Amino acid sequence: MARGSVQTKIFVVSMRSAAQRRYDFVGSSIPKSINWDFFDAHENLHAGLDYDEDKAIIAKGRPLKAGELGCYSSHHALWQRLTEDDADQYLILEDDVLPDWSFIKPFIAEDHGEAGRDYVRLYYKKPAPARILQKDFICRTTRLIELSGYCFGTQAYLLTKNGARRFLDHTSVVNRPIDDQMDRSWIHGVRNLSVFPFPVLERAIPSEIGTDRFETYPIPERLKLRRFVSRQRERAGYQIFGRRRFRFQL
């Protein structure tokens, strides 16, 4: 595919107050030929998004934390910006990553929308079933894969205009963390693509969202049945999607 005809913008999601994180990212050997900007992360839910705590408990099994709502708003706002921008695609990074710029430079020169790749993540946190779509992707030994199920993480991904529109169509109601929503291909229809081995790594520093979200949450009696039904429907939908679309490869 010809390169140079696609416009890609790079945004690094970062709290305005995160001076050390920003300093460390700037020091990550970014080539002078790479143009990028910090995007000031949201700290609260922004207008246009609807959060209901009961719905979150039913869908996720717990309420969402303030940091999760801010993270959700930040990525949602960038998707909205992309649909209104003259750029064709965005590379969205978080400020706690170490990118391999030698891979990213040719990667962002590709017209991923034209190739049918609306969403390509460069890192994820949890192993998930996958199938290989293309060998020697961008460079030798790197593979383009398609994932099934939850693998989590918004540390690094490329998104096209079409991918942004499709995500926006299914994410105005906030009842899960943003990465949970992005993983649910069986709902929104956006293929969960990734590159392996990862060209981006996450630094081992504490999450600004915090870890208390992993603590056990006692579901109120009045919501237990609805939570049970929600989980069964979710499991059935995912299993049908996996059987139809995937023959898993190791």
Side-chain angles (χ1 to χ4, degrees):
M1 181 176 297
R3 296 179 178 178
S5 59
V6 63
Q7 184 179 1
T8 308
K9 291 185 179 180
I10 301 175
F11 289 99
V12 179
V13 181
S14 177
M15 299 291 291
R16 185 176 297 182
S17 60
Q20 186 61 51
R21 283 174 173 247
R22 292 190 173 203
Y23 177 83
D24 291 341
F25 185 86
V26 170
S28 64
S29 302
I30 308 170
K32 292 182 179 179
S33 59
I34 297 287
N35 294 317
W36 63 278
D37 287 297
F38 281 120
F39 176 84
D40 292 338
H42 292 211
E43 298 185 42
N44 301 293
L45 201 68
H46 70 82
L49 293 177
D50 177 27
Y51 172 67
D52 181 276
E53 185 171 287
D54 280 2
K55 290 179 181 178
I57 295 170
I58 292 166
K60 181 65 177 175
R62 61 172 177 80
L64 301 188
K65 303 297 182 179
E68 289 176 303
L69 296 177
C71 180
Y72 197 114
S73 296
S74 300
H75 289 273
H76 195 275
L78 277 168
W79 304 343
Q80 186 64 53
R81 177 184 289 194
L82 174 55
T83 65
E84 301 164 357
D85 202 335
D86 57 357
D88 301 292
Q89 52 195 25
Y90 279 2
L91 178 67
I92 299 174
L93 307 173
E94 295 187 346
D95 64 0
D96 59 348
V97 300
L98 294 171
D100 179 354
W101 295 107
S102 63
F103 179 93
I104 289 175
K105 189 172 181 179
F107 175 73
I108 62 174
E110 294 282 335
D111 188 337
H112 293 279
E114 183 179 336
R117 302 187 292 261
D118 285 326
Y119 169 48
V120 185
R121 63 202 310 162
L122 304 183
Y123 179 86
Y124 54 89
K125 297 177 73 71
K126 175 181 173 292
R131 61 173 180 166
I132 298 171
L133 299 181
Q134 182 179 333
K135 295 181 179 180
D136 301 331
F137 177 67
I138 306 297
C139 65
R140 190 173 181 275
T141 74
T142 301
R143 289 169 168 78
L144 177 71
I145 63 175
E146 182 174 7
L147 299 157
S148 174
Y150 292 107
C151 48
F152 305 120
T154 54
Q155 286 78 8
Y157 61 93
L158 183 136
L159 192 66
T160 68
K161 263 187 166 60
N162 184 57
R165 293 189 189 101
R166 294 173 72 184
F167 275 158
L168 288 169
D169 285 343
H170 290 85
T171 54
S172 61
V173 176
V174 182
N175 52 24
R176 294 177 173 85
I178 191 65
D179 53 345
D180 289 38
Q181 295 283 35
M182 295 166 74
D183 283 344
R184 302 174 78 233
S185 298
W186 58 97
I187 300 298
H188 51 63
V190 180
R191 298 169 75 191
N192 193 0
L193 306 181
S194 185
V195 173
F196 189 85
F198 302 139
V200 169
L201 295 177
E202 183 182 29
R203 292 190 293 124
I205 57 178
S207 168
E208 291 186 325
I209 295 176
T211 59
D212 56 344
R213 65 191 188 277
F214 300 120
E215 296 175 1
T216 301
Y217 177 80
I219 297 176
E221 287 293 334
R222 61 187 176 82
L223 297 178
K224 283 186 175 179
L225 178 59
R226 294 171 66 186
R227 168 62 178 158
F228 173 79
V229 172
S230 174
R231 291 186 67 185
Q232 297 308 306
R233 287 178 176 172
E234 179 82 358
R235 185 174 294 128
Y238 165 65
Q239 289 176 346
I240 291 171
F241 169 81
R243 285 197 297 268
R244 287 178 176 175
R245 195 169 183 86
F246 281 78
R247 292 186 178 181
F248 301 127
Q249 302 178 28
L250 297 177

